[in-house]
Amino acid sequence: MAFSARDYYVRLDELEQELKSLAEAVSHDEIARLKLLDLSRQSVASLESPVEIISRMYFEPHQSACLRAVLEMGLPEAVIGGAKTAAELATITKCDEKLIVRILRPLCCLGMFSEEGFETYGATKMTSALTSPKLAGGFKFMYDQAAACCLHLTEYLVKTDFEDPKGGCFKSTFNTDLALFPWLMAHPKMMGNFNDLMAAQRLARVDWFDYCNVKYILLEGYRGNNTPLLVDIGGNRGYDLEGLKKKFPEVNGHGKLIVQDLAPVIADITDLNEEIVRMEYDFFTPQPVKGARAYYMRYIIHDHSDEIAKQILKNVAAAMTPGYSKLLLFDFVLPDVGAPLLGSLMDVNMMALLSGKERTKREWTALLDSVGLEVVDFHMCGNISEGLVEATIKY
């Protein structure tokens, strides 16, 4: 059936209205919202020409550079509360007036600030988001450390004859003998930004306990009596346990929930529920908590190569009670075919920063099998890249 040019425009107008209506309808359903977002991105990808795609990628680093600059300049906080001229912003931030104009131009095009008139700028929803310490700190880490490694990645791969990175890209980028996490511990400000990133990731992603059958996976069969229910290994500031505790009152009770991390991270915790036990622990050493119902790791194994991941997993497996304990890994689970963009880019991010990797279902199964564990199930949330890998001791 042939359509005239007028028909196309009518259909485009109808589509515009339908998309606006649908976007509003799914705004309170995170899974549906993410599906619509994914469909929208697929539509954009099918419409962009090769030249448009490559041209857009030319300037993506420039956008990030502008955003990183305004965070350091304090412009988001200065604009909140009312539109201000570049001259007024210069007075508030002690930054050059003309620099402010040039830096804000592209960010206004991206909706991060609004252009209210000649050299006059206001706030948008994005501006408000940029004042969040978690989002701002997370972006600083991704720009200062992760992006720097990605920019250096090709040079590093050339030097290593294009071998899969085995731990040297970060060291080469920052001219250090330290890997990422020891380096962060030696740079407290950068460690703070990394911790902010871990917290910020919770703002945009679905938690495993929001879509999994927690009672079936975790609570059924629990032996109780305030014995350890869930040990969050490398749990940062304990956000996952806090969220689980709020949603499921059944897990209340001192000693049931334990967050483990390195001493500097545990010392940085300030607002965690007192019933959650804080424990200093290095997951390269034997697990001190024996026979818990479940051991949980979020975005830990993807930091490491298979060889190093096996060391971590063996320490967990040695503490597990066969037929009772479970290992729960909330991480990226890529499909064997047709991996989504976010998961694919995260794999490159892990490669550049840590020589880690995002794994497919086949790779997860093989890795766990190699340390005496077997996959019970992959609990996936629609087409979202993350999933909960449930595993037990292999008989």
Side-chain angles (χ1 to χ4, degrees):
M1 181 178 181
F3 291 95
S4 67
R6 183 178 181 281
D7 291 330
Y8 290 136
Y9 286 109
V10 169
R11 293 178 67 193
L12 287 170
D13 288 340
E14 292 173 347
L15 178 60
E16 180 181 9
Q17 295 305 313
E18 175 62 20
L19 285 174
K20 287 180 179 178
S21 174
L22 191 55
E24 177 63 27
V26 303
S27 61
H28 302 296
D29 183 335
E30 186 65 5
I31 295 175
R33 187 190 69 82
L34 289 172
K35 183 172 183 179
L36 178 59
L37 182 61
D38 185 52
L39 289 172
S40 299
R41 287 171 173 163
Q42 290 179 35
S43 297
V44 171
S46 67
L47 288 170
E48 280 188 309
S49 70
V51 172
E52 288 172 329
I53 294 171
I54 294 171
S55 297
R56 171 170 51 78
M57 294 180 70
Y58 285 161
F59 295 105
E60 287 177 349
H62 304 61
Q63 298 173 24
S64 295
C66 289
L67 178 54
R68 182 64 181 90
V70 302
L71 293 176
E72 204 67 25
M73 296 161 74
L75 287 173
E77 291 80 4
V79 167
I80 295 292
K84 294 179 179 66
T85 65
E88 291 172 326
L89 291 172
T91 300
I92 295 170
T93 63
K94 310 302 180 186
C95 298
D96 183 84
E97 179 180 342
K98 291 302 179 185
L99 173 65
I100 290 172
V101 172
R102 297 177 70 185
I103 288 290
L104 287 182
R105 276 183 190 139
L107 297 181
C108 285
C109 295
L110 295 169
M112 294 184 177
F113 294 81
S114 63
E115 192 172 18
E116 303 294 332
F118 176 70
E119 295 187 355
T120 303
Y121 307 97
T124 66
K125 289 182 180 180
M126 276 296 304
T127 318
S128 299
L130 293 174
T131 64
S132 162
K134 295 174 183 177
L135 287 173
F139 186 85
K140 289 175 183 178
F141 171 81
M142 288 300 294
Y143 186 84
D144 295 349
Q145 278 75 57
C149 287
C150 286
L151 289 172
H152 181 67
L153 180 60
T154 300
E155 180 182 348
Y156 175 78
L157 292 175
V158 169
K159 290 180 180 178
T160 59
D161 294 326
F162 290 96
E163 289 184 343
D164 211 19
K166 293 180 172 60
C169 188
F170 178 85
K171 295 177 181 179
S172 177
T173 302
F174 289 92
N175 191 28
T176 178
D177 293 328
L178 298 175
L180 173 64
F181 290 115
W183 186 89
L184 287 174
M185 285 187 284
H187 296 80
K189 185 177 179 180
M190 309 304 178
M191 175 63 89
N193 288 340
F194 175 79
N195 288 336
D196 285 334
L197 174 66
M198 296 298 98
Q201 287 180 335
R202 289 183 51 82
L203 301 176
R205 292 180 182 168
V206 177
D207 285 308
W208 69 274
F209 48 79
D210 286 331
Y211 72 91
C212 290
N213 187 337
V214 173
K215 293 185 178 180
Y216 173 76
I217 295 172
L218 185 64
L219 300 177
E220 288 184 9
Y222 172 53
R223 293 173 180 172
N225 298 321
N226 284 334
T227 58
L229 172 67
L230 187 63
V231 182
D232 188 351
I233 304 170
N236 200 258
R237 296 171 180 168
Y239 296 111
D240 282 37
L241 294 183
E242 190 90 68
L244 177 68
K245 183 176 174 62
K246 288 179 179 178
K247 186 157 187 174
F248 293 91
E250 302 96 314
V251 306
N252 289 338
H254 184 78
K256 290 185 178 181
L257 304 178
I258 302 171
V259 58
Q260 298 177 330
D261 216 309
L262 298 174
V265 179
I266 295 297
D268 193 45
I269 298 175
T270 58
D271 58 353
L272 187 62
N273 188 289
E274 292 182 357
E275 285 192 349
I276 299 175
V277 177
R278 310 172 192 189
M279 183 180 294
E280 296 178 7
Y281 172 62
D282 180 345
F283 49 56
F284 289 108
T285 63
Q287 171 59 244
V289 180
K290 309 296 184 182
R293 174 57 170 157
Y295 297 86
Y296 170 75
M297 285 186 277
R298 177 173 184 152
Y299 304 146
I300 300 296
I301 301 303
H302 77 163
D303 288 344
H304 304 285
S305 65
D306 286 349
E307 291 73 20
I308 296 176
K310 289 177 184 179
Q311 299 174 32
I312 300 170
L313 293 170
K314 285 177 180 178
N315 286 326
V316 182
M320 294 171 64
T321 299
Y324 175 68
S325 298
K326 296 184 177 185
L327 174 62
L328 304 177
L329 303 172
F330 190 66
D331 218 315
F332 279 79
V333 180
L334 302 180
D336 294 316
V337 177
L341 180 61
L342 176 60
S344 302
L345 291 177
M346 278 297 296
D347 183 44
V348 176
N349 187 63
M350 293 298 102
M351 179 198 306
L353 267 175
L354 292 154
S355 297
K357 62 190 297 187
E358 305 300 353
R359 293 172 171 85
T360 64
K361 289 184 176 181
R362 290 187 183 188
E363 289 172 324
W364 277 116
T365 300
L367 175 63
L368 291 168
D369 180 74
S370 72
V371 295
L373 296 167
E374 63 180 350
V375 174
V376 175
D377 202 354
F378 292 99
H379 302 276
M380 305 301 295
C381 181
N383 61 351
I384 298 174
S385 299
E386 296 96 330
L388 186 75
V389 185
E390 179 187 355
T392 58
I393 295 292
K394 185 169 54 177
Y395 286 101

